[in-house]
Amino acid sequence: MPITPTTNIWHNGTLIPWEKAQIHVMSHVVHYGSSVFEGIRCYGQPQGAAIFRLPEHMQRLLDSARIYRMPLPYSLDQLCSAVVELTEANKVAPCYLRPIAFRGYGEAGVNPKNSPVEVYIANFPWGKYVSGEQGADVCISSWNRLAPNTMPGLAKAGANYMNSQLIRMEAEVNGYAEGIALDTNGYLAEGSGENLFLVRNGVLYTPPLANSVLSGITRDSILTLARHLGIPVVEQGLPREMIYIADEVFFVGTAAEVTPIRSVDRILIGDGSMGPVTKQLSDEFFGIANGLKPDRFGWLTPVNVNAEQPVGA
Ligand SMILES: Cc1ncc(COP(=O)(O)O)c(C=O)c1O
């Protein structure tokens, strides 16, 4: 999907024009993948717009930076305020927000210590991420997710997405909308950019964090909603074949939101249509995100943007 430029980008505390947000080719991040980032959605609401789980996303950015010994000179509150400031300045809603911190132009060599940390936040309009109106047709990838003690899976680091690109491209080349990777022990992990949920006999299953998955904010939202709705939830290691015999399978993520899966490796899931548990959770998720149901968990940060009249959309 092409990027639609907006007016401003937040850089180290200041709003700068979109086209001025450039870096040098010798920046550390270009060569060694030294970035951590977030993906956040701002939803249209009946009265304006609101950012979904902003503090949780910015806390994960701080956590990712901490894992990589990357000092961020901003507090959680400052980062959240920066996102709100940018969204209100650009007046684009609904939109996707992309905060990123990376090692910039400093020294050559792998050690990032003397390359400065740069923080940028951009936003732009963005639609549906995983295709498949009636549910996505996906495959199990021949690529595994990151093995423990190689790349830390809980850090949302740019470099992790080289693995994601392999998963996604392989799926596309073979005619699938997305790939699901196993961990290095053969247990179900996640999609290239989504967490995974299965339903069998009314129980909701998802792989635990120890099976090489990102600690997804949407994953947490779905677990919270399920518990609230009285749906039994199990986080446990799941063998690959569990997916073929599930009644329902769906992806969740900021980009993918809640995306039902119709088939895996050309094996139909259930009768191939969105199942009742997926529908119940999806309705609840979109109801809260779009401001049509009460924000009972305090997930929304309102922004002063009229979602009906986006500029640059
Ligand atoms: C690999 C991977 N897993 C899961 C997710 C879902 O995480 P979230 O719900 O926080 O967007 C993402 C997206 O950020 C991702 O890139």
Side-chain angles (χ1 to χ4, degrees):
M1 189 178 295
I3 300 172
T4 306
T6 50
T7 311
N8 305 287
I9 286 185
W10 189 95
H11 175 220
N12 292 349
T14 324
L15 294 179
I16 61 170
W18 175 279
E19 59 279 2
K20 292 260 156 64
Q22 296 181 359
I23 61 168
H24 196 279
V25 69
M26 290 310 293
S27 299
H28 192 274
V29 62
V30 176
H31 302 261
Y32 302 115
S34 41
S35 71
V36 295
F37 69 99
E38 275 304 314
I40 312 174
R41 272 194 197 259
C42 173
Y43 285 89
Q45 308 269 302
Q47 266 85 42
I51 300 170
F52 190 72
R53 306 204 68 178
L54 174 60
E56 290 86 347
H57 279 285
M58 298 320 273
Q59 183 59 54
R60 189 171 64 187
L61 184 76
L62 288 165
D63 293 346
S64 301
R66 186 181 185 83
I67 291 168
Y68 277 100
R69 303 174 191 271
M70 186 188 285
L72 291 197
Y74 303 103
S75 66
L76 178 60
D77 279 356
Q78 286 171 319
L79 290 168
C80 291
S81 301
V83 170
V84 171
E85 180 192 359
L86 177 81
T87 312
E88 293 186 345
N90 281 343
K91 301 198 189 321
V92 176
C95 70
Y96 187 81
L97 287 139
R98 170 51 56 79
I100 184 162
F102 57 82
R103 293 288 187 169
Y105 181 90
E107 286 188 356
V110 167
N111 190 344
K113 211 176 65 184
N114 293 322
S115 295
V117 175
E118 307 275 358
V119 185
Y120 287 83
I121 308 169
N123 76 335
F124 46 89
W126 206 23
K128 202 160 174 56
Y129 182 66
V130 182
S131 58
E133 283 300 302
Q134 305 304 318
D137 297 311
V138 308
C139 61
I140 301 293
S141 182
S142 70
W143 296 100
N144 289 140
R145 260 334 241 163
L146 312 162
N149 253 355
T150 58
M151 308 278 289
L154 289 190
K156 191 171 168 64
N160 292 1
Y161 287 80
M162 293 302 278
N163 173 262
S164 291
Q165 289 174 45
L166 292 169
I167 296 165
R168 181 82 183 202
M169 288 188 294
E170 181 190 59
E172 194 182 292
V173 162
N174 291 323
Y176 297 100
E178 178 59 294
I180 295 169
L182 308 177
D183 72 4
T184 49
N185 291 314
Y187 291 102
L188 291 169
E190 61 181 349
S192 71
E194 312 84 17
N195 289 112
L196 181 69
F197 280 88
L198 274 57
V199 180
R200 184 167 157 90
N201 297 332
V203 177
L204 185 67
Y205 294 89
T206 197
L209 300 186
N211 288 140
S212 302
V213 303
L214 183 70
S215 178
I217 311 293
T218 321
R219 175 184 182 276
D220 178 73
S221 307
I222 293 297
L223 289 172
T224 303
L225 291 173
R227 289 184 180 115
H228 176 77
L229 294 168
I231 299 167
V233 170
V234 177
E235 288 180 67
Q236 65 166 54
L238 299 168
R240 170 179 180 160
E241 58 275 23
M242 182 87 170
I243 206 165
Y244 303 127
I245 58 173
D247 304 318
E248 305 177 32
V249 180
F250 58 96
F251 278 141
V252 305
T254 298
E257 300 174 296
V258 178
T259 300
I261 292 176
R262 179 169 58 183
S263 69
V264 182
D265 295 335
R266 307 283 180 224
I267 298 177
L268 207 60
I269 303 301
D271 66 3
S273 60
M274 188 198 279
V277 177
T278 311
K279 170 129 186 40
Q280 196 183 6
L281 289 165
S282 175
D283 287 351
E284 204 64 26
F285 173 82
F286 283 110
I288 293 175
N290 291 315
L292 305 173
K293 292 193 176 209
D295 179 21
R296 59 172 66 87
F297 306 106
W299 285 344
L300 301 177
T301 301
V303 282
N304 187 14
V305 180
N306 182 354
E308 261 68 58
Q309 295 175 5
V311 172

